[in-house]
Amino acid sequence: MRIYLIGYMGSGKSTVGKGLAHALNLQFIDLDTYIEERNLKTIPEIFASEGEDGFRKAERKALHEVSEFENIVIATGGGAPCFFDNMDHIKKTGTSLYLEGSPRILAERLMNSKTERPLIKGKTEEELIAFIDETLAKRNNWYKRADVTMVFDHDISTNEVIDALKGFI
Ligand code: S3P
């Protein structure tokens, strides 16, 4: 079994993924952490030294590597499904779940997050909402191809996720 969590930055993919993996007795991998370990650099360092293009190449390579692992829940980075043929690869190799939140909710969560994210660094909440509005509209072309979409306006419980995935896992 292989389950991919996809969705915008701040949608809770890692938190939900960890809970799901625990409940289903599966391994958990966060794709960003995997990229950092494989490249011996943090995500902001990769963006700084190789630019977004370099990061996207490393991300694609990492996705292909983790897609060989079995019995696993994979939390992808927010952009992962939206570059190259990554979403095709996700669809081919597992079940995908999109955590869909509104720009306002995502912005609120991101403003409170300690994780450094190069694409949104230094933005005010208003700038962030505008940025999310614009990029999410484009990214939804990929996100909406997920097998299952969960719209959230609160923290999602593991039971809700398992219910949503019924028929797929
Ligand atoms: C990105 C999301 C980040 C990380 C990188 C780029 C994006 O992951 O991969 O900063 O393009 O949306 P999270 O979704 O875990 O924040």
Side-chain angles (χ1 to χ4, degrees):
M1 183 177 335
R2 196 173 298 112
I3 302 169
Y4 293 95
L5 297 186
I6 69 171
Y8 206 82
M9 294 175 265
S11 57
K13 299 169 299 252
S14 295
T15 309
V16 168
K18 278 180 201 157
L20 184 63
H22 184 74
L24 299 178
N25 209 12
L26 302 172
Q27 294 297 311
F28 171 77
I29 270 209
D30 179 280
L31 192 64
D32 283 339
T33 306
Y34 182 86
I35 294 168
E36 292 182 331
E37 285 168 359
R38 292 287 272 129
N39 293 276
L40 302 176
K41 279 183 190 168
T42 65
I43 303 294
E45 282 168 355
I46 299 175
F47 267 82
S49 61
E50 284 138 65
E52 182 173 354
D53 282 358
F55 172 72
R56 295 303 171 197
K57 283 184 192 134
E59 183 176 55
R60 179 179 186 276
K61 188 163 182 284
L63 177 68
H64 279 254
E65 287 175 16
V66 302
S67 67
E68 308 242 325
F69 302 158
E70 307 280 353
N71 299 322
I72 191 152
V73 176
I74 301 161
T76 62
C82 316
F83 290 84
F84 309 109
D85 57 350
N86 292 353
M87 192 61 199
D88 291 333
H89 190 69
I90 287 172
K91 301 268 307 172
K92 223 184 309 172
T93 55
T95 299
S96 44
L97 170 66
Y98 171 29
L99 302 179
E100 180 176 18
S102 69
R104 199 157 285 280
I105 286 181
L106 294 169
E108 196 182 299
R109 288 176 173 226
L110 288 168
M111 290 304 287
N112 289 324
S113 165
K114 289 195 190 74
T115 308
E116 191 180 327
R117 294 173 166 100
L119 293 179
I120 56 170
K121 201 172 172 212
K123 291 198 189 305
T124 64
E125 187 155 359
E126 289 315 304
E127 288 167 345
L128 189 54
I129 293 173
F131 178 80
I132 297 174
D133 248 332
E134 190 189 322
T135 49
L136 185 58
K138 292 184 196 134
R139 287 184 173 192
N140 266 330
N141 290 317
W142 288 275
Y143 293 155
K144 298 256 172 169
R145 291 179 58 205
D147 295 313
V148 179
T149 295
M150 280 185 88
V151 179
F152 68 89
D153 58 7
H154 59 281
D155 287 341
I156 302 172
S157 74
T158 301
N159 282 341
E160 286 177 280
V161 181
I162 292 174
D163 272 354
L165 286 172
K166 278 214 173 99
F168 287 92
I169 56 170

